[in-house]
Amino acid sequence: MKKQTIIITGASSRIGREIARHFLKNGDNVVLNSLTAEKLAQVFHELGGGENLAMVAGNVSNRVTGIKLLAAAVGKFGSADVLVNNAGIFEPRPFFNVDEAYLDRFLDANLKGTFFTTQGIIPQMVKQGGGVVINIGTPLVSHLHGGAPTTALLPLKGAIHSFTVQWAAEFGKHNIRFNTIAPGAVQRPMPGNIEDRSAGLDLLNRAGEVEDIAQMVYTVAKSNFISGAIITT
């Protein structure tokens, strides 16, 4: 399979780091992004810091960051084949406790970040004659849970799902495929023998592992005929 260049935002998170590791293991080039330069450098070295790895620190809600990511991908590897919009925050808060600053954080990280990074990368994919964009969503958009105070988060994640199907329709003629991976509960490190109770929220009645998410992203990225899909677990 042809070596591709993969751009991953939010690469210092557990999921982002594992997605990067999976593509690297399978021979692809990877451009890492994270808001925090120190955390990004740590992940860069943890993943080997080899010739098939590059990094760009920056806030994805700023349009300049997407431009820099594209420049790094094309400048070092010659292409931008897959974009994984993984950057985002999840911080439940009851509806009446949501203030303007809190909502702005979600708008920046979860909405503007996905929009402007995609806007920065797509022209190169059009030029190349194809590409793949994978957004990270949540099944809670369509499987609501009354015990989760997420009224600030879910509309923005819902917008990302909407972006996916609209962009798939708009850019399909350029052979660019858009999909959303919406994982359920992902196993988290818990102190002692405490059980992660979020596992019961998943359709499979178990929490997934970060490796599971990485495999899903890789499979969708390498498919030639999946587009406009919201894939949940």
Side-chain angles (χ1 to χ4, degrees):
M1 189 174 292
K2 178 185 175 183
K3 177 180 284 193
Q4 294 183 308
T5 300
I6 320 299
I7 299 170
I8 303 171
T9 69
S12 64
S13 69
R14 291 175 61 236
I15 291 176
R17 182 169 60 246
E18 192 58 37
I19 292 171
R21 192 191 316 276
H22 198 84
F23 278 103
L24 288 168
K25 181 178 68 176
N26 284 279
D28 288 310
N29 303 313
V30 174
V31 180
L32 306 169
N33 160 262
S34 180
L35 175 64
T36 308
E38 292 79 10
K39 289 183 179 179
L40 184 61
Q42 181 179 345
V43 172
F44 180 84
H45 292 297
E46 179 185 328
L47 294 175
E51 288 298 316
N52 56 343
L53 199 57
M55 62 177 180
V56 176
N59 189 334
V60 289
S61 69
N62 188 328
R63 294 181 66 180
V64 173
T65 301
I67 295 170
K68 289 180 178 178
L69 283 166
L70 179 61
V74 175
K76 185 168 184 178
F77 305 120
S79 66
D81 303 295
V82 178
L83 167 63
V84 182
N85 283 312
N86 175 66
I89 55 176
F90 185 87
E91 183 186 313
R93 182 180 290 189
F95 175 71
F96 290 110
N97 293 341
V98 173
D99 56 23
E100 187 173 356
Y102 173 87
L103 191 57
D104 282 344
R105 287 179 57 228
F106 279 98
L107 284 168
D108 282 348
N110 293 358
L111 188 70
K112 290 171 63 178
T114 295
F115 187 94
F116 285 128
T117 305
T118 303
Q119 190 181 62
I121 303 302
I122 287 300
Q124 177 65 26
M125 292 184 175
V126 171
K127 181 179 177 181
Q128 292 171 187
V132 179
V133 177
I134 298 176
N135 299 319
I136 302 299
T138 173
L140 290 176
V141 169
S142 54
H143 300 283
L144 304 181
H145 189 274
T150 55
T151 53
L153 169 67
L154 290 188
L156 301 180
K157 282 295 188 180
I160 290 173
H161 291 202
S162 182
F163 283 162
T164 298
V165 294
Q166 173 57 33
W167 286 337
E170 189 170 345
F171 292 100
K173 62 187 176 185
H174 298 289
N175 193 34
I176 304 174
R177 302 179 300 285
F178 291 83
N179 295 286
T180 285
I181 302 294
V186 177
Q187 189 69 47
R188 297 170 295 175
M190 304 295 284
N193 294 319
I194 298 176
E195 180 183 358
D196 186 352
R197 296 182 181 274
S198 63
L201 300 175
D202 195 87
L203 292 175
L204 296 175
N205 199 37
R206 68 171 179 85
E209 303 289 345
V210 289
E211 293 86 357
D212 296 325
I213 311 306
Q215 289 173 10
M216 290 173 68
V217 170
Y218 183 85
T219 298
V220 172
K222 298 300 182 177
S223 168
N224 290 322
F225 208 60
I226 301 176
S227 192
I230 312 296
I231 302 170
T232 63
T233 64

